[in-house]
Every structure is written in structure tokens, then in C-alpha cells.
Amino acid sequence: MAALAQQSIVEAPQPKTTGYWTGVWRRLRRDPVAIFAGLVILALILMAIFAPYIAPADPYRASSLRRLRPIGTAGYPLGSDELGRDMLSRLIFGARLSLFMGITPVILAFGIGSAIGIFAGYVGGWVNTAIMRTIDVFYAFPSVLLAVALSGALGAGFGNALVSLTVVFVPQIARVAEAVTTQVRSRDYVEAARASGAGGFTIVRVHVLGNVLGPIFVYATSLISVSMILASGLSFLGLGVRPPEPEWGLMLNTLRTAIYVQPWLAALPGVMIFITSIAFNLLADGLRSAMDVKQ
Amino acid sequence: MTEPAIQIRDLRVTFGGVVRAVDGVDLTLHQGEVVALIGESGSGKSVTLRSLMRLHPPRRSRVEGSITVAGRDVLAMSERQLADYRGATVSMIFQEPLLALDPVYTVGEQIAEVIRRHEKASRAEARARALELFQKVRIPSPERRLDAYPHEMSGGMRQRAMIALALACRPKVLLADEPTTALDATVQIQILLLLRELQREFGLSIVFVTHDLGAAVEVADRIAVMYAGRIVEEGSARDLIRDPRHPYTIGLLKSRAEGALAKGSRLDAIPGSPPDLAHLPPGCPFAPRCPLAIEPCRADRPPPIPIGPGHAARCIRTDVSPGLLARHPEPAPA
Amino acid sequence: MIPEDRGGPAQPLLTVKGLLKHFPVKKGLFGGASAKVRAVDGIDFEVLKGETLGVVGESGCGKSTTARLLLSLIDPTAGEIVFDGERVGSRALSLKEFRRQCQMVFQDSYSSLNPRLTIEASIAFAPQVHGVPRKEAVGRARDLLARVGLEPRRFAERYPHELSGGQRQRVNIARALALQPRLVILDEAVSALDKSVEAQVLNLLLDLKEEFGLTYIFISHDLNVVRFISDRVMVMYLGKVAEIGGSEEVFERAQHPYTAALLSSMPSLDPDNRTEVAPLAGDPPNPIDPPPGCRFHTRCALVEPVCSAKEPPLAATEGSHRAACLAVQPGSGHSLAPAATSVELAA
């Protein structure tokens, strides 16, 4: 009977083994909504990169004669703004700054917030309590208010807007990072790693990071849309990008005077913000379900 | 002869188009009878049970065959009929009462709610009924416990409260899905005895799903052993324990660590692991693990072979299978 | 890398003295008065070299907390653990070195494997922590996989979710053995498995024990399994040891009424002789406020006034068999207490 344990297990043929990311990609591919959202984002990024080649006109060239032309005017497929600049070109070029302002603070906050959250979550105890209560102070302010207050305090400008947006997102990401890390830390495989004598740094590197970065990344992706809207808001209030740079939020601001004259035209930057943010949100949703291993 | 409480004919349940979780189950349950469905994870026992309540999401599952409960065709019911049927004709208890009970209402409110949904009863009447049920399931100081929230009760009390909830509308059939698996040994036996007692008092028919042969023997009149989506052996509890014929049943009995065994001896384990339900072999699904398997076993699925009154096994080698049991002494009663 | 046996066969591999763990809990909304869960409340026991000590008890009895305390996964409130003559954490035996010699297998086979690592990487992780080069560690992992019945070529590069529960538990056993430990703590290691798989894994554990000269602490709620695998058995109730002794002695001649009740709570597996009366009423009490005196007196059939007044010590009844019950201890004041020699309790 001792031979029984040595005998290999007989079983039905199993599918070829696959890596984790292969599985995620396979599940993501089956989600048409997420794929569509991903394609929209890809298109927007390509548009931003190749803006000079795509845009029909110079986004800065004003014309005092052809101001606020409606959508569909000859030479101005999407009309012209209050200074007579081509809307289509400005929307295309606007993708550059808008996407940059949307993505950069999130990437920065992802790095900083994850580090804080994973540290607090893994160490636990009073260290965790101290860090997380401090973070909660920031969290208590509505993000719009916090971004506006910080930008106002730091002074208007592109760089300061990025900094204040990053500060807004760090507590949010740190909170999620702390929550998932606390959860992973209580798993038996972390206990088993501790029981085999591994140090905290090794355990975080091998057993924690791989399991928490995914969920944090998904959460961060969903913040990109918030970041874009906040960045637009800052620009709208004159705290972010300054005229005449094309940026969707700023465009919304400067066109607001024309809302009674050309309502559709004035709404165009808003439409772009809406499409982009919803695409990021849908992609984040798709990623979330695709990363669920227990499928 | 009264009509049976439950009649299942050729039940087949398929998930996602490929995973055949239940593969032709026939089961008849007479009124006032207790049947235990036993099997390992993936054997289809819980899926069969849930089909009786039609709990499977219609989009992802396909249910074929026929299920008649108390003379009514369950698979033909409309959503509305189903809502009336669940709770009033058939109700169910689960392994983990904490997940089955609503955490934001007291257990008393939940029971009263169920009564008032199915019957015309005033608040006071419903509460009185709930109290009576709590006494029936032997909850100490029932008056006070009615106002407790599920998380304030211990595991055994919660399980009793869930049984009270299940019996609130005087169902004819009780479905029990591993109700004692998560409980401690000393509490498990109390719940098993309670079920037996309530069954006698209310004349309930019970389908009791478990992986534990011991628990099954304590409550069931008849036992049906499931493997890979089929009932491989069915008979009275006595027949199954004393004269098992399917090699799988015999294997289950023999692999138990039971009574005093010589130190250092090995258990008589069934080799291998249960089959993948998406890739079932053509013949008997147990053949790859069976010590008696011969060529015809791998070719065709064996039909139920009658062995005695009410005792049948899906095995073509029931003539020689008792020999398997003889290799080891019969399990001694503890 | 095989650790040396220092004290010889007569010296216990593990000696636990006065192990105590109290968890603070907030009680009540307003008072904020802090209560304590007495999860493990002062236990002493020894594990001899090469034996299997079974630990049984119901939820809340402290058996899993004891396992985690032994490995210092949680810090004890008080108490001392001595491994082969050296106190754990002393200069002679650092915690890291102790952890290399003492490993654990958990109940939940899924949660105890990192879902993002191949099983080969999971097994090779611990040796690498202790300085074994990666190549060698992976080679050893593959040997161990073969040893636990999983063909390395087919399984080494799989991920945990691609295996069945029984296969995953084999991986967990291989992982625990990767450091060539001397003591393995099995915390409900077979409880989540199907019966037919459970028997295979139990046989495997016995084979491995013989092959590697292991010592086991086997924690389980399944008395049949504990009886099968254990040389000695320790019964715990509400953070205390109720009874400890040789496996057959405890199962055949239970001294403590709680052990007797546990044994008769097991389903009979005899359709003609079903259990008619539950041996115990109610659930195990909450370890936050354990009853005074003997902790079992609230549920005990032999209870007398002395039981709530006096806490019974864990005293020898015959040979190495010890029980914490006044009814079997001479001169305890309990009316059933024997005059001088021990009297067996009706089972």
C-alpha cells in the first residue's frame, strides 16, 4: 500500500498550463465592452501622438472674422471657437494635454500611494493606524475641493496642477492598497512564508506585490477619468493649463460664453471628456473581472 | 398508495454547455421518507438538490428531464408559481446559516416576514408562530432569541434558527444541503437528532445532501450514492452499509479511518481522483479507479442492476463486488 | 542540511510550558471596558521524537491558535517553547533556524498557495530564503513533487487554480518538506478533502513520516482520523488541555467526561443502532468569559458544586495518561473521585 503514494495521479487530460497574464488576456478578449473601450483609448492616444499629421489646421491660428462658426461650416468641420480657431484641430491637439493631465497624476499617485498602502498594510498594528488615520484627513475633503485648494495655494500653472492632482489621488490609492494588502497578508501562503523564516521584504516582493498590484492598478485606471475631469475643472477655473493652449477643460471654460450662441459647439470638449473618461472606466471594469482568477 | 413527494426522472443539468454536472438522475422520494444523497465534491449531489428548487440561473444552465414535487411539475412553473412554491411546498437549509440569514433583521422578524408573505397573518400571529417554531427547534429562552440578530447567535443556534425559518410555512419537503458539515461534532449530532425528530413530528420528506456517510446513516431511511453526476447505488441505509455492491460505495466504506487500526497500517484508499465532468470517459465513469473494471465497463455506461427490493447499483460486476469488501473486516460500529 | 538530533531520542522534540495567549476585545458600545479572549490559557505538553501527537477539540478550543503560537506566527502572551533542548529565540536556536526545522500545512489548500506562482516556485521559495541556490532549490522541488505523487513534468509549471484540492494539498505538503524540517504541524490538513482523497493523503503522510523521520502534530476535529494517525492524543476544551495520553488509552478509556462526550457524538455508522440522545446539549461556550472552575462544568453530566469552585489540574490517572477532571482525581472533593486508585469512567 506504501506504493500508492508514489503512484502518480490518474486523471482526465488537462488543458495546457497557462500563465496568469495569458489567462487575463484570454478572459479580457471575450469581453466586447472592455475591448471596445480599449480601442477607443488606443485611438485617442494615437490621435494625441500624431496630432500634427491629423489636424487639418493650426490649432493656434485665430481669425477674428470667422468666429463661432457652426458645426459643418466649409473649412471648419466642427466649427470654430470664440477666437475663430478650428475646433477639430483644437480637439485633436487637446487630447495631448488632457490625456497627459489625466494619466500623469494617476501614475505618480499609483507609485506613491501603493508604497504607502502596502507598507501600512503589511506592517499592520499601530503603524498602520497612524499612517491610515493621517491619510484619512486628506480623504475627508471632497477631491474637487482639495484639488482646487491645493492648486490655489501652490499658484496657477501646469506643474502645480499635476502636483495637486497627485496629492488628491495618493490617499485614495493608498487606502485601496492598504485594504488589499491587509487581505493578502492574512492568507495562509503569507503565513507559510513567514513560517519558513522569510523576512518581511522578501515576502512583500515575492508574495504580496504580485497579488496586490493588479487590484490597485485596476482601481487606478478608474481614477484616470476622475483625474481628467478634475484637470479640466482646474483649467476651467484658470488654475491649470493657460490659454491659448488647447486643452479640453480650458476649451470648455472659454466657450462657456458662447453657450447661447452655439450650444452644440460649446459642448464638444465636454463630449470628448465624457468619451475618454467612460472608456477608461469601462476598461477598468473589464480588467477587474478578467483578473479574477477563480473563473 | 399515495403519490410520491418527489419524483425525478432522467434529470440532466449542464453548465456552460460542456460541464454535465447531473447526468441522468432518477430518484423517487415517498411522503415522510428521508433520503440522503451522498458523494464527493463535483458528484452532482448539490446540483440535484438545487434543481428541486430551480435555483440554477436559467442563462448559464440547462435543465432537462422532469421533476415532480407534490404532484406539480417544477420545471414548468412560472416565476410567480415558483415564488409560491419555494418556502410553502419545499424549503431549504444550507451549510452556512450566516450566509442564508439576513444580517440586518432579527431572526424573529425574518421568520414572521416569511409567514406573512405566504399567508394572511397579523404581525402578532406571525410572531406567535415564530415563537412556537423556536420552541420546536429547541432554542433555549426562545422569547429572547427571537430578537437576536444572526451574528449574535452561536453556530448551532443559527442552524436551529434556519431550520425554524425553513419550517415556517409548513412545507411538505425539506431540502438540506450539508446542514451539519460546518458544525462541531457535539453540535452536529444534536442537529441530526433534531432533524429526525421534526421529520417524525411534521411527517416531512427530507432530501439530505452530505459527504459524510456517518451523518447520512444517522438520519436517512434510504441512501443514494452519487458519482460523476449519476446515482451509482441506491438502497436502504442498512443495505448500503451491510451489503454495498458498487465498488465506489465499497471503496468509500473501506477508506474510512474507523475504530482501532494497527499503528502504522495504511488506509485502503481509492486511487486516483474524481473525473473531469467536461471530459467524461465513454463507459462507467468510475472504471479508471475501479479494481474490478473489465473491458465492457469502459465501453458502455452500466444501467442500474437490481440487487434486492429497493436496492440497485449501476455496476455490471455486482456479482463479484462483495469480494472487495471481504479483504478488510467489516467496519465495526463505534 | 539535515539538522542534527541534539538531545538523543529520550529528549522530547518539543516542550511547551505555560503557553498563554489572550486576545483583547472591545466589549460594549459605551463602557469600552476591554475583555480578553482566552484563546490558549496556559497549556503544557511535550511532543516526543518521531511520534504523532493528535490534537482534537471543537471550534474555540484553541487548537489552531496553539499551532500558530508554536511557529511564532503570533506572539504568545506568556509561555516558553523548547525545541530539542533549546529555548526558541535563544542564542542557541534563533527563530529563523527553528522555523527551518518546524513547518506547517494549513487546512485551506487554495489560500495556502500563492496564486501567482507556479507550484514549483512555491515549493522552491523557502529553501531559497535559507540560501539554497535557485537551481538546486527547483531541483529539490521537483524531487519532492515526485515524492508526493505528482509527476514533475506535468505539474511543476502549473498554477494552483489548475489543480484539484487533493493535488494542491500534496503540493502544500511538499512545500512544508522542502526545508527538511523535523517537526511538521498539520492544521486540519485533510479536513477539506473528499473522503477518498483524504485516505490517500493520510497514507502519504504516514509514508513521508517513515521516510524522512518526521514528527507530526496533527490537529483535527475528526476523531476517527486522529485515532488512526496519532500515537498520543491531546484533547482541548476552551483553551485548556482536558486530557492527554496514548491514543488507544484516550479512545478506549476516556477519563474526562468531555472526551467521552466527543467520542459518543461521532455518528455510529450503524443503521440499527443509531444515536438516540445527544451526549451534550448546546454549543461550546464563548472563550471570552470562560466559566470559573472547571471550564466544562456548564455542560458536564457529572457536575457537582466543587466543579465550579475549583479548577482541576491536569493530573496523571494512569501512566502517562493525564486528565483535568475532579471526578477522577483522588481527594478532589468530587463524590465520584476515587479513594486511591483511578476508576474508569463509563464510556
Side-chain angles (χ1 to χ4, degrees), chain B residues 42-327:
Chain B
S43 63
K45 56 189 194 304
S46 287
V47 178
T48 305
L49 194 73
R50 273 144 211 267
S51 303
L52 285 167
M53 280 271 235
R54 250 177 75 189
L55 291 177
H56 299 299
R59 276 185 202 184
R60 278 179 292 136
S61 61
R62 208 170 74 227
V63 182
E64 295 157 288
S66 80
I67 301 176
T68 317
V69 176
R72 300 168 70 192
D73 184 350
V74 176
L75 297 184
M77 283 181 194
S78 68
E79 281 300 319
R80 206 200 179 120
Q81 288 170 318
L82 209 53
D84 285 339
Y85 159 81
R86 290 178 185 153
T89 310
V90 178
S91 61
M92 191 156 176
I93 54 177
F94 300 88
Q95 176 173 347
E96 191 33 87
L98 207 50
L99 301 178
L101 294 169
D102 192 326
V104 300
Y105 294 100
T106 66
V107 281
E109 284 167 352
Q110 293 182 52
I111 294 175
E113 221 269 320
V114 169
I115 294 172
R116 280 160 59 83
R117 195 170 60 210
H118 285 281
E119 293 165 33
K120 277 202 196 111
S122 72
R123 228 167 248 281
E125 280 164 7
R127 188 175 162 91
R129 279 265 295 283
L131 183 63
E132 193 187 323
L133 283 162
F134 260 41
Q135 287 158 347
K136 282 260 190 313
V137 297
R138 303 275 147 72
I139 290 181
S141 40
E143 197 84 59
R144 196 161 52 81
R145 295 288 165 88
L146 273 180
D147 297 321
Y149 290 92
H151 71 268
E152 295 172 326
M153 305 177 105
S154 62
M157 285 308 136
R158 273 201 293 267
Q159 198 57 273
R160 284 169 196 267
M162 187 161 68
I163 294 172
L165 181 67
L167 297 180
C169 292
R170 304 186 183 98
K172 294 182 181 66
V173 176
L174 183 66
L175 308 178
D177 192 0
E178 305 248 14
T180 61
T181 305
L183 299 174
D184 284 317
T186 59
V187 182
Q188 158 168 327
I189 193 76
Q190 296 172 35
I191 299 291
L192 291 174
L193 291 178
L194 176 70
L195 280 174
R196 217 155 78 189
E197 203 176 297
L198 293 171
Q199 185 271 329
R200 271 198 294 257
E201 191 177 334
F202 291 89
L204 285 169
S205 311
I206 300 181
V207 184
F208 186 88
V209 160
T210 181
H211 68 277
D212 182 359
L213 208 52
V217 170
E218 284 292 347
V219 293
D221 305 314
R222 277 195 302 137
I223 295 178
V225 181
M226 289 194 69
Y227 188 79
R230 295 183 150 204
I231 293 176
V232 292
E233 183 161 7
E234 186 186 346
S236 70
R238 192 170 294 110
D239 285 344
L240 242 90
I241 299 298
R242 302 248 185 274
D243 184 23
R245 292 300 182 91
H246 197 284
Y248 176 65
T249 317
I250 296 170
L252 274 185
L253 277 166
K254 288 205 318 175
S255 63
R256 287 174 64 94
E258 183 86 35
L261 291 164
K263 279 292 151 244
S265 64
R266 299 296 188 262
L267 292 171
D268 219 337
I270 303 175
S273 46
D276 181 353
L277 294 176
H279 305 95
L280 281 178
C284 170
F286 188 64
R289 304 172 75 186
C290 182
L292 298 178
I294 48 173
E295 243 354 275
C297 294
R298 298 188 181 90
D300 295 304
R301 301 228 166 155
I305 308 283
I307 290 154
H311 185 189
R314 277 184 187 270
C315 177
I316 53 174
R317 308 220 63 200
T318 50
D319 48 334
V320 290
S321 62
L324 281 176
L325 200 61
R327 272 199 234 151

Side-chain angles (χ1 to χ4, degrees), chain A residues 11 17 191 196 207 210-211, chain C residues 68 111 114 116 130 154 162:
Chain A
E11 46 152 1
T17 184
E191 293 262 281
S196 62
H207 293 294
N211 288 294
Chain C
R68 284 174 162 74
S111 156
N114 186 341
R116 304 289 300 278
H130 287 271
R154 282 181 54 203
E162 297 172 312

Side-chain angles (χ1 to χ4, degrees), chain C residues 255-257 296-297 299-307 325 327-328 334-336 345-346:
Chain C
Q255 299 287 313
H256 199 288
F296 186 58
H297 82 259
R299 302 169 84 198
C300 184
L302 307 178
V303 62
E304 290 189 2
V306 66
C307 296
C325 176
V328 296
H334 194 283
S335 67
L336 292 175
L345 225 142

Side-chain angles (χ1 to χ4, degrees), chain C residues 54-231:
Chain C
V55 182
V56 296
E58 297 176 287
S59 52
C61 75
K63 53 191 197 300
S64 284
T65 308
T66 304
R68 284 174 162 74
L69 284 171
L70 292 181
L71 278 175
S72 296
L73 291 173
I74 46 179
D75 294 323
T77 311
E80 190 175 60
I81 298 164
V82 177
F83 186 78
D84 204 3
E86 302 290 352
R87 197 170 59 78
V88 174
S90 67
R91 199 172 300 163
L93 182 67
S94 69
L95 183 59
K96 186 168 177 176
E97 179 53 26
F98 167 66
R99 281 175 167 170
R100 189 169 70 73
Q101 302 192 33
C102 178
Q103 285 287 298
M104 180 146 158
V105 178
F106 298 84
Q107 170 172 10
D108 184 344
S109 67
Y110 192 80
S111 156
S112 45
L113 288 173
N114 186 341
R116 304 289 300 278
L117 294 185
T118 60
I119 60 175
E120 168 186 80
S122 272
I123 299 171
F125 172 76
Q128 284 172 266
V129 166
H130 287 271
V132 177
R134 210 189 87 84
K135 257 212 165 119
E136 198 186 321
V138 169
R140 193 188 289 170
R142 288 179 167 246
D143 291 346
L144 278 166
L145 273 178
R147 192 58 204 81
V148 297
L150 299 171
E151 201 189 315
R153 268 186 303 126
R154 282 181 54 203
F155 288 95
E157 281 164 22
R158 292 226 183 131
Y159 286 86
H161 68 269
E162 297 172 312
L163 306 186
S164 71
Q167 292 168 342
R168 276 200 297 267
Q169 206 55 304
R170 286 170 191 261
V171 174
N172 279 315
I173 292 168
R175 192 254 313 269
L177 295 181
L179 286 174
Q180 294 167 310
R182 299 168 70 192
L183 176 66
V184 179
I185 300 174
L186 301 142
D187 186 4
E188 301 274 6
V190 298
S191 305
L193 303 178
D194 281 321
K195 285 287 163 196
S196 72
V197 179
E198 179 187 272
Q200 294 173 2
V201 174
L202 286 172
N203 285 342
L204 172 69
L205 286 172
L206 287 175
D207 292 344
L208 294 170
K209 182 172 179 239
E210 278 169 19
E211 184 175 337
F212 297 112
L214 299 170
T215 301
Y216 287 154
I217 295 179
F218 189 92
I219 299 171
S220 175
H221 66 278
D222 186 333
L223 295 161
N224 282 323
V225 169
V226 168
R227 181 177 194 175
F228 166 70
I229 204 164
S230 308
D231 301 301

